[in-house]
Amino acid sequence: AQTVTQSQPEMSVQEAETVTLSCTYDTSENNYYLFWYKQPPSRQMILVIRQEAYKQQNATENRFSVNFQKAAKSFSLKISDSQLGDTAMYFCAFMKLFSSNTGKLIFGQGTTLQVKP
Amino acid sequence: DSGVTQTPKHLITATGQRVTLRCSPRSGDLSVYWYQQSLDQGLQFLIQYYNGEERAKGNILERFSAQQFPDLHSELNLSSLELGDSALYFCASSARDGNTYEQYFGPGTRLTVT
């Protein structure tokens, strides 16, 4: 069974600075996707970024980028130029491909990020 | 706004009762997923439907059931409710434009069982 671990329950960062959120996962699969979702105080789940396991290049979306280390089973999220609106809980998620359960997202426990002015 | 709608936003009911949560996926999306978010269990996958058929099942209790209708909206039925069923229930949808793997979440239904 796959598991996703986020070892940092809470983090804080000053506005305009850079912060990195950690995520590790455990799987014997070779084909999968990894995601970061953001859940602000409104509780809406918002997709931040996606990484395909077969791609060596790290995904980037504006101020958000990932460091994907497949051998180490590590998938960290870097937020550059942090903004107050980045304050949220961030969830790392794993999805196995090419199986009867493709589509099932397995989430980590979440990291609460506070951006301070 | 993800384009996924869920009703109602809030629901308060008593133990032993039955409720129905409704989800309308993004236009054109064929897959609907249900997730439960609680303090104890975190975010857990419950069930997936694709174009009206059950595709995958997660940690869904026997007291819970779901279905997807021909117009692609979905309903999650929760019966014999217990205090521990209090949670935020999310619906998500995907499978538009060939991009099957990105799921877009609705705003959730907060269920409180008293």
Side-chain angles (χ1 to χ4, degrees), chain B residues 3-11 19-25 32-34 65-78 89-92 105-111:
Chain B
V4 179
T5 61
Q6 289 187 246
T7 56
K9 283 188 179 177
H10 302 279
L11 202 45
V19 297
T20 297
L21 313 184
R22 182 188 168 103
C23 167
S24 293
V32 169
Y33 310 80
W34 287 96
S65 65
Q67 59 185 134
Q68 186 178 26
F69 295 86
D71 67 352
L72 300 177
H73 91 271
S74 178
E75 293 181 356
L76 179 67
N77 300 295
L78 315 177
Y89 290 85
F90 285 108
C91 167
F105 282 70
T109 293
R110 179 165 293 284
L111 173 66

Side-chain angles (χ1 to χ4, degrees), chain B residues 39-76:
Chain B
L39 286 174
D40 301 349
Q41 305 288 335
L43 263 163
Q44 287 206 316
F45 168 77
L46 294 178
I47 198 164
Q48 177 198 358
Y49 277 82
Y50 178 81
N51 203 20
E53 296 197 358
E54 183 183 303
R55 174 67 68 89
K57 226 170 183 177
N59 299 324
I60 188 166
L61 300 171
E62 283 191 12
R63 300 183 285 109
F64 295 1
S65 65
Q67 59 185 134
Q68 186 178 26
F69 295 86
D71 67 352
L72 300 177
H73 91 271
S74 178
E75 293 181 356
L76 179 67

